[in-house]
């Protein structure tokens, strides 16, 4: 049976490249995105759904649909991200800060949170988180992006420790 792969923000950019690579191995691929034009142009055979990664209800509903259609999930690529605002710390708008963290960090958390029960029940699965070198070294004038990407790395390490014993 082919692997069942979900990729958030998988209709363009890095997510699209991941989707193409998994599809080439024979995996069943289902991408989410908020860009309807990009979703409309995903390769034939790839499932596509409009899902805001930072919306818990939307993510939970989507992953329940995945479970209903596929019966489980083998690989989750928590890839959704935005660059956020570019500004000096003292000029950083709070709404831009919050939006950047919501997509980059909350999106990764929510995808993992709602995929974990499926993977734990089947005692197998892989969760891939997309971070950035900004999450290792910082990035001037991009405080929310760097903070989110540092946090994604911490989330990844914690999820590995929590879910590792379940395969």
């Amino acid at each position: 049976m082919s692997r069942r792969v979900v990729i958030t923000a998988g209709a363009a950019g890095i997510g699209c490249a991941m989707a193409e690579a998994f599809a080439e191995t024979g995996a069943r691929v289902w991408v989410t995105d908020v860009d309807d034009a990009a979703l409309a142009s995903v390769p034939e055979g790839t499932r596509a759904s409009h899902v805001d990664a930072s919306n818990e209800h939307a993510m939970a509903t989507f992953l329940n649909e995945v479970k209903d259609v596929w019966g489980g999930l083998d690989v989750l690529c928590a890839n959704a991200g935005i660059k956020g605002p570019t500004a000096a710390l003292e000029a950083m708008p709070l709404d831009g800060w919050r939006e950047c963290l919501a997509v980059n960090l909350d999106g990764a958390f929510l995808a993992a949170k709602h995929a974990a029960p499926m993977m734990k029940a089947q005692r197998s699965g892989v969760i891939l988180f997309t971070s950035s070198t900004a999450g290792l070294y910082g990035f001037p004038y991009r405080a929310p992006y760097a903070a989110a990407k540092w946090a994604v790395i911490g989330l990844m390490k914690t999820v590995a420790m929590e879910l590792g014993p379940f395969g």
Side-chain angles (χ1 to χ4, degrees), residues 119-120 122-125 157-167:
M119 292 179 171
K120 284 173 80 171
Q122 64 197 27
R123 298 203 57 83
S124 67
K157 291 178 180 184
T158 301
V159 168
M161 287 185 254
E162 285 186 27
L163 298 182
F166 297 94

Side-chain angles (χ1 to χ4, degrees), residues 15 18 34 43 46 54 72 83 103 108 113 121 127 129 145 152 159 165:
M18 286 191 274
V34 293
T46 300
S54 67
K83 68 178 186 164
V103 174
K113 173 184 176 179
I127 300 176
F129 292 97
Y145 181 81
V152 166
V159 168

Side-chain angles (χ1 to χ4, degrees), residues 44-92:
E44 188 174 332
T46 300
R47 288 178 161 270
S49 294
H50 181 107
V51 178
D52 176 351
S54 67
N55 180 307
E56 183 164 18
H57 177 73
M59 185 57 67
T61 300
F62 166 70
L63 286 169
N64 281 331
E65 182 181 2
V66 168
K67 183 178 180 182
D68 290 344
V69 172
W70 282 349
L73 178 61
D74 301 305
V75 180
L76 167 69
C77 299
N79 176 64
I82 60 172
K83 68 178 186 164
T86 301
L89 182 64
E90 65 274 13
M92 184 64 59

Side-chain angles (χ1 to χ4, degrees), residues 103-165:
V103 174
N104 290 290
L105 179 57
D106 296 353
F109 161 73
L110 293 170
K113 173 184 176 179
H114 292 286
M118 276 189 280
M119 292 179 171
K120 284 173 80 171
Q122 64 197 27
R123 298 203 57 83
S124 67
V126 174
I127 300 176
L128 303 172
F129 292 97
T130 302
S131 186
S132 166
T133 56
L136 297 172
Y137 308 109
F139 200 132
Y141 305 102
R142 300 288 299 285
Y145 181 81
K149 294 305 184 176
W150 278 75
V152 166
I153 293 169
L155 174 65
M156 173 194 60
K157 291 178 180 184
T158 301
V159 168
M161 287 185 254
E162 285 186 27
L163 298 182

